[in-house]
Structures are given as C-alpha cells and as structure tokens.
Amino acid sequence: MHLTKRPSVLCMFLVFVVSCILVSPGNCYTTVSPPQKSCKDSGTTCEKCLENVSCLWCQTNGTCMDYPAKQILPPSSLCQLSQARWGVCWVNFEALIIAMAVVGGTILLSIIVCCCCCCCRKRPAGPDRDEERFARRREEMRQRSEDRKQDRRARHDDIRKKYGLIPDSDHPYSKFENE
C-alpha cells in the first residue's frame, strides 16, 4: 500500500507518532522524599521560596505561601497574577500563562494545519487545466479539419456537376438521353 494514495493512513500515522511523542511513558521510581518544609518557613527571598515546587511567591508583600492546589490559578485575594511567581522568579504568573497559551496554541494550530494538508486535501476529480486546454485545442483542430473537408467536397461536387459527372436533372447542361 502506497502512503500517497491513502492520505487517511498517513494522517493516522502522523497522529499516532505525535501522540506517542507527547504522551511518552516516564520512568516511575518510588523514592522516599525527605519531609518538606512548610512554605512559610522557606525564607524571605523568592529563590529560597521557589526551591519547593509547592510554594508560591507573592511579590507585592514578599511572602512565601502554599500554592492553592485545589484551584488552577491562585485567587486574586491571595496574590495578583502579575505579582505572583511560581517555578522561577523572573517570570510572573500572568506572563507564564500567556506564554503557555501561545505555545500550546501554536502547537495545536500546527497539528491542525498538518492534518488539513495531509488528510483533507483532495485532488480534483476531473482533468487538470493543461489537459482541458489540450483537449480544447484538439477539438478545435478537428472541427477546422472537418470544415475544410466539407468545403473541399462541395467544390469537387460543383466541378463534377459542371462536367456532368454527377447526374443532376435540374442542371441546364445535363446530357439529353434518347428515349
């Protein structure tokens, strides 16, 4: 089976490869982690606070607090998104969300465009423009040839009538037959 003749097979193969890359199995090891300190005890600097991944640093009041795990985004009553830091100190939470949305949207858009190019593009059912143009030219040439052939036949018939080679009753120079 040739892949270019079956775009749906190619598209499914592409989706399978992309999903395998994105959802690759990780190695899970059970390790005993040391008991984690509370975020309030982590220190007074952003770097010390964010060493613990479950902590959130608020830039406005300079406090380290536990990340609200039950909510995706920290509420504004806890800390404004533009002042919240999580993961790294140099990126605020608002910019992190925007950057992740742009990257995710770009990936999603590229997958959609790729699927449209590979799967949804259909070849035209009829002949292409060049074939239509050649067929039109061929038909015009055939028609002109037929017209010339009929003109030639008409001239030849006129000459035959003129010299009496074709019997014609209404022709004034037709031969008289003795009866």
Side-chain angles (χ1 to χ4, degrees), residues 14 16 25 32 40 44 46 48 60 63 71 121 138 151 154:
L14 181 67
F16 175 75
V32 178
K40 293 186 180 8
T44 58
C46 180
K48 294 262 187 197
T60 53
T63 58
Q71 298 171 341
R121 182 178 60 193
R138 198 171 29 247
D151 288 344

Side-chain angles (χ1 to χ4, degrees), residues 64-119:
C64 187
M65 56 191 82
D66 289 324
Y67 188 86
K70 292 183 181 180
Q71 298 171 341
I72 296 173
L73 299 174
S76 60
S77 61
L78 191 61
C79 188
Q80 291 182 355
L81 286 179
S82 62
Q83 298 299 317
R85 307 289 193 261
W86 180 73
V88 291
C89 293
W90 53 271
V91 178
N92 65 31
F93 212 92
E94 196 173 42
L96 185 66
I97 291 170
I98 292 170
M100 288 174 58
V102 167
V103 169
T106 303
I107 291 172
L108 184 64
L109 186 64
S110 64
I111 289 172
I112 289 171
V113 167
C114 184
C115 284
C116 285
C117 288
C118 294
C119 302

Side-chain angles (χ1 to χ4, degrees), residues 21-38:
I21 290 171
L22 293 177
V23 187
S24 63
N27 295 332
C28 296
Y29 299 106
T30 55
T31 58
V32 178
S33 60
Q36 294 186 355
K37 301 186 285 184
S38 172

